Amino acid sequence: MRDPLAGLPELARERAVAAEQPSWTDPMLATFTDRRFSDPGWVFEPKFDGERCLAFRKGPQVRLLSRNRKRLNDHYPELAEALAAQEADDFVVDGEVVAFERGRSSFARLQRRMQLGDPEAARRSGVAVHLYLFDVLHVHGHDVTRLGLRQRKAVLRRLLGFRDPLRFTPHRNADGEAYWREACRKGWEGVIAKRADAPYRHDRSGDWLKFKCANQQEFVIGGYTDPKGSRHGFGALLLGHYRGGDLVYAGKVGTGFDQELLERLRRRLASLERTRPPFSVGRLPSAGVHWVRPELVAQIGFSEWTDDGQLRHPRFLGLRHDKRPREVVRERPR
């Protein structure tokens, strides 16, 4: 097969360091910003509403891992098979698992696959998924994280054959503001701005920035309220985020659930019940409340934060299995 490093300039090839393929590596994470800009030194990618996925191929073996190291092969067997069918057999690539609804990436639709750990049930779900790849970390016995982003993208292009369900993530050069406006008109979650010459860093970095179209982030579930009227399951989820070692109460969400989800989530919450609230900061509701161990993370959309740190017009989008509760903090623009 062709050498994916062959087309690189000599100086770039020198930055590709001979190394054994790692069994795990922390993914690079983007920083939230409310600043929009255009810059020829940056590239701009769509911000998908999906599940982060690192894919490891070593010989015939393929491992799909979430950002908190959960194995995803059984949830997305067609993605593992597509990577196993590639001619290249030694690589680590980074991307996002995405499901679409009405032409837009939908975390709510992807939930139907995320909940299924049986490969055959996943195939029968009727939810098509794609793996949008945007970076490469290791290839053919070399660590390529020291290369600039544009060079890594060139390596990724040559490394794999991109046919469904594998897709190369599109990007725009320079004109980030126009791309962000276009993304918002189309109902996307936003845009990721990436410094074009930056190496791949295994933590959160200002070299990757999130331009959001709508407010959305993860929250820890710390309790729920009793249902009222004809509603079954529960009334609302009580949400929080960590500030240091304190779980800070951020309000409750009661929309975004269908009846099946209300019943299923109520059973799961009942198994986590505790007598005392897990929140240590905030004015808590007292009537008809059940407290739970803070083990579940929910994706929540909302219009804005109030002055006292509560969510305005929140809506439930789904449960996240790829983020630990202690990682959930309030996102603030840099």
Side-chain angles (χ1 to χ4, degrees), residues 48-266:
F48 293 115
D49 202 2
E51 182 172 22
R52 189 73 173 271
C53 179
L54 290 172
F56 297 74
R57 169 84 187 271
K58 185 68 171 176
Q61 183 186 40
V62 172
R63 295 179 298 127
L64 305 180
L65 298 177
S66 71
R67 57 176 284 187
N68 60 344
R69 307 193 195 193
K70 290 188 176 180
R71 186 176 173 89
L72 302 176
N73 292 51
D74 291 344
H75 299 270
Y76 312 116
E78 66 271 52
L79 304 183
E81 290 168 359
L83 291 166
Q86 296 290 318
E87 187 177 358
D89 65 357
D90 178 16
F91 57 79
V92 179
V93 289
D94 192 357
E96 188 99 354
V97 181
V98 178
F100 287 95
E101 189 163 23
R102 293 189 293 275
R104 298 195 296 263
S105 62
S106 169
F107 186 75
R109 183 167 177 78
L110 184 63
Q111 279 276 295
R112 292 168 55 187
R113 288 296 294 269
M114 294 173 70
Q115 303 293 333
L116 299 174
D118 175 79
E120 293 310 312
R123 294 180 199 275
R124 294 193 304 267
S125 68
V127 178
V129 294
H130 302 84
L131 179 57
Y132 275 83
L133 295 168
F134 47 73
D135 218 321
V136 57
L137 289 69
H138 178 95
V139 59
H140 288 187
H142 289 81
D143 178 340
V144 295
T145 58
R146 298 182 188 179
L147 273 64
L149 175 62
R150 280 204 177 102
Q151 294 166 339
R152 298 196 307 275
K153 283 186 175 294
V155 171
L156 179 60
R157 276 278 199 191
R158 290 191 291 268
L159 176 67
L160 302 177
F162 289 95
R163 296 176 296 277
D164 279 344
L166 304 181
R167 294 182 176 179
F168 185 86
T169 302
H171 64 271
R172 297 275 184 90
N173 293 308
D175 200 353
E177 293 160 293
Y179 196 34
W180 173 73
R181 290 192 294 269
E182 178 185 335
C184 296
R185 284 197 304 269
K186 292 180 176 179
W188 297 358
E189 189 182 345
V191 167
I192 300 291
K194 298 181 176 180
R195 194 182 300 274
D197 62 355
Y200 189 101
R201 307 182 192 280
H202 302 282
D203 56 14
R204 195 172 298 280
S205 171
D207 290 335
W208 288 11
L209 299 173
K210 290 185 278 191
F211 295 0
K212 289 188 175 183
C213 292
N215 286 320
Q216 186 180 129
Q217 73 157 83
E218 304 92 351
F219 289 90
V220 178
I221 300 173
Y224 63 96
T225 63
D226 288 329
K228 295 181 180 179
S230 61
R231 183 158 176 162
H232 297 282
F234 58 86
L237 300 177
L238 307 181
L239 306 172
H241 57 84
Y242 278 97
R243 187 171 65 204
D246 295 323
L247 185 59
V248 179
Y249 181 62
K252 56 188 177 181
V253 59
T255 62
F257 310 97
D258 59 25
Q259 191 57 50
E260 178 186 356
L261 181 57
L262 283 168
E263 297 288 357
R264 176 160 49 85
L265 192 49
R266 169 60 187 263

